[in-house]
Amino acid sequence: MKMQLTPEKVGFRISATDLEAVYTESSGVKLRLDAQRIDDVRSEVYREVELTFLVVAELRCITLNFFDNHYDSFEIKGGINNEMAFWEENGYHPNPQFYQVVNSDILENKSKLFDPNDRLGLKHYLIIGYDSYVEVIASSYDVRYL
């Protein structure tokens, strides 16, 4: 079964060659990565973005290129021909390299372990860098531009 990836509606696209992950039991997961907003693309500027996941069940950091590692085993929903025009019109990038895995095997197999009372609303997030990717099982996230 192919992984079904739904792009997150964020105002940036990840352009990371370096990705930093910090996990603490009390503060969840913080990911710092390089990204671009729409105006940054035009001027070829990169900025740091921090994604904070507070309620975290699992964090996986994989040092492989996601697209090489999962060739032909995923599908990104809602492909767009003109990404810049879509971004300008809608305020978010159609393919930001930040996704939700909607048919997650991890959630299907471990949901009773992670959330036996089904109160947390856990989701499977995938954040793709250049030669690495991160998977986070969490309830939600916040975005902060640094």
Side-chain angles (χ1 to χ4, degrees):
M1 173 174 64
K2 286 189 176 190
M3 264 189 288
Q4 299 294 314
L5 306 179
T6 299
E8 287 295 294
K9 294 179 179 178
V10 292
F12 61 86
R13 73 173 182 192
I14 296 171
S15 303
T17 55
D18 195 24
L19 185 100
E20 177 183 4
V22 176
Y23 169 80
T24 59
E25 188 174 345
S26 61
S27 299
V29 169
K30 289 187 183 208
L31 299 177
R32 283 190 177 190
L33 41 96
D34 292 332
Q36 291 181 304
R37 289 178 161 177
I38 194 164
D39 292 334
D40 299 334
V41 173
R42 293 182 184 111
S43 58
E44 298 182 19
V45 172
Y46 296 86
R47 66 178 69 233
E48 273 196 336
V49 172
E50 184 176 80
L51 300 174
T52 302
F53 300 86
L54 290 176
V55 178
V56 177
E58 185 170 293
L59 168 68
R60 293 178 175 196
C61 300
I62 298 94
T63 308
L64 292 170
N65 181 287
F66 175 83
F67 300 107
D68 291 344
N69 192 36
H70 291 282
Y71 178 75
D72 206 29
S73 67
F74 68 93
E75 182 176 288
I76 299 172
K77 293 186 175 185
I80 304 293
N81 287 335
N82 189 333
E83 291 182 348
M84 287 301 288
F86 180 92
W87 198 356
E88 288 172 344
E89 183 177 322
N90 296 283
Y92 62 92
H93 196 282
N95 191 13
Q97 308 297 2
F98 180 23
Y99 310 96
Q100 189 179 138
V101 182
V102 293
N103 62 339
S104 171
D105 287 340
I106 295 171
L107 282 177
E108 187 172 321
N109 295 328
K110 294 185 176 180
S111 64
K112 294 294 181 201
L113 173 67
F114 291 153
D115 188 14
N117 297 320
D118 200 25
R119 294 181 300 172
L120 301 176
L122 295 173
K123 297 174 183 169
H124 182 172
Y125 295 101
L126 173 65
I127 299 93
I128 300 176
Y130 182 71
D131 279 329
S132 63
Y133 60 99
V134 175
E135 295 182 77
V136 182
I137 307 298
S139 59
S140 62
Y141 62 89
D142 291 317
V143 176
R144 188 173 73 134
Y145 297 96
L146 304 174

